[in-house]
Amino acid sequence: YVYLTAPIVKVFGMNEISVRLWSGILGVVAVIGSYLLAKELLTVSKLRRKILENYIKSVSLLTMFLMAISLWHVHFSRIGFEANGLLTCMIIGFWLFLRGLHHKKSLVLSAIVLAIGMYFYRGVIGFLPFVGIAAVFLFYKQLARRDYLKTTIIAGFVFVILATPITIELFSSRGLERTEEVSIFNLKNSEHVEGIVKKQSESKSPLSSIIYNRRIGYGLDFLTGYASHLGPQYLFFQGDINPRHNG
């Protein structure tokens, strides 16, 4: 995102519009991409069962509408946040992947776009591997067809080459600093585990390790954190301690 923004700042100076311009553009592209992705998903499904063309178009338009009014999407598109670029690349990348099931060249473009997305925001390691593996597993028959196998291998090779540098960086000690800092497995961030560990050490019961199980605390931390970011207090009234998500 910094490299995209630099020439804009050079021309128009350091101001709010210069810093946020690319995020706004990427946000609009994501809205359009959500329509294309939904339509492609339903089209792929149509190959397996009959779905009316009007139904596909209606659901795709509804998806685009919901994306356009999503408070999360509007928020991140407005503040110039790098994660917005990642989201856009994921939407366009997986649309190209699905399109690649019947247009081989799109598979290679998909690999390029998804790899570029990895350079936007480190949070990509939390879901891209899982979604990517699931997509390959679901459509392995099409990808492994004799007339597609060569293109599939080329696309995979392109992705690995482009993604390797950032992957090495993300899993280096420096790259994992942020992950360790915000992880729920860091006791400093835990609302529940520290108390559970204390009760376990104070308990004389032989079942204390079962009754006061820190894994329950990690689960509660995850659910509490997830729910707090979807609640009205965060979305409408208070935000959080980060000024970008406040006010």
Side-chain angles (χ1 to χ4, degrees), residues 176-201:
L176 291 172
E177 282 181 3
R178 174 64 175 168
T179 303
E180 293 172 357
E181 181 184 333
V182 300
S183 172
I184 60 172
F185 299 109
N186 185 337
L187 288 180
K188 294 180 181 179
N189 301 325
S190 176
E191 297 180 12
H192 303 93
V193 177
E194 192 172 359
I196 289 174
V197 171
K198 184 178 179 181
K199 289 180 180 179
Q200 187 183 78
S201 63

Side-chain angles (χ1 to χ4, degrees), residues 40-199:
E40 200 65 47
L41 276 169
L42 292 172
T43 301
V44 171
S45 300
K46 190 179 179 181
L47 298 176
R48 302 177 183 177
R49 60 181 184 273
K50 294 182 179 180
I51 298 178
L52 295 176
E53 194 66 35
N54 289 338
Y55 174 79
I56 293 176
K57 186 175 181 180
S58 298
V59 174
S60 301
L61 287 171
L62 178 61
T63 301
M64 183 170 67
F65 171 73
L66 293 175
M67 185 70 169
I69 65 170
S70 165
L71 294 176
W72 271 104
H73 189 60
V74 172
H75 175 64
F76 282 108
S77 298
R78 177 179 174 274
I79 64 175
F81 200 41
E82 299 95 330
N84 198 45
L86 168 61
L87 174 64
T88 302
C89 285
M90 296 302 101
I91 291 174
I92 299 299
F94 283 111
W95 165 63
L96 287 169
F97 173 84
L98 292 172
R99 182 176 171 79
L101 298 177
H102 47 89
H103 291 89
K104 290 192 287 187
K105 291 182 180 179
S106 293
L107 272 181
V108 179
L109 290 175
S110 170
I112 294 172
V113 173
L114 290 173
I116 290 173
M118 294 185 67
Y119 288 84
F120 270 98
Y121 190 65
R122 67 178 64 248
V124 68
I125 63 175
F127 66 93
L128 180 59
F130 306 104
V131 178
I133 291 171
V136 172
F137 177 77
L138 287 171
F139 301 104
Y140 74 93
K141 288 184 179 179
Q142 292 94 318
L143 296 173
R145 284 193 339 231
R146 182 175 297 179
D147 57 328
Y148 260 70
L149 188 57
K150 182 179 178 180
T151 304
T152 301
I153 293 173
I154 292 173
F157 183 74
V158 168
F159 178 81
V160 169
I161 292 297
L162 294 177
T164 294
I166 189 62
T167 302
I168 293 173
E169 172 65 20
L170 288 173
F171 285 97
S172 67
S173 57
R174 184 176 64 177
L176 291 172
E177 282 181 3
R178 174 64 175 168
T179 303
E180 293 172 357
E181 181 184 333
V182 300
S183 172
I184 60 172
F185 299 109
N186 185 337
L187 288 180
K188 294 180 181 179
N189 301 325
S190 176
E191 297 180 12
H192 303 93
V193 177
E194 192 172 359
I196 289 174
V197 171
K198 184 178 179 181
K199 289 180 180 179

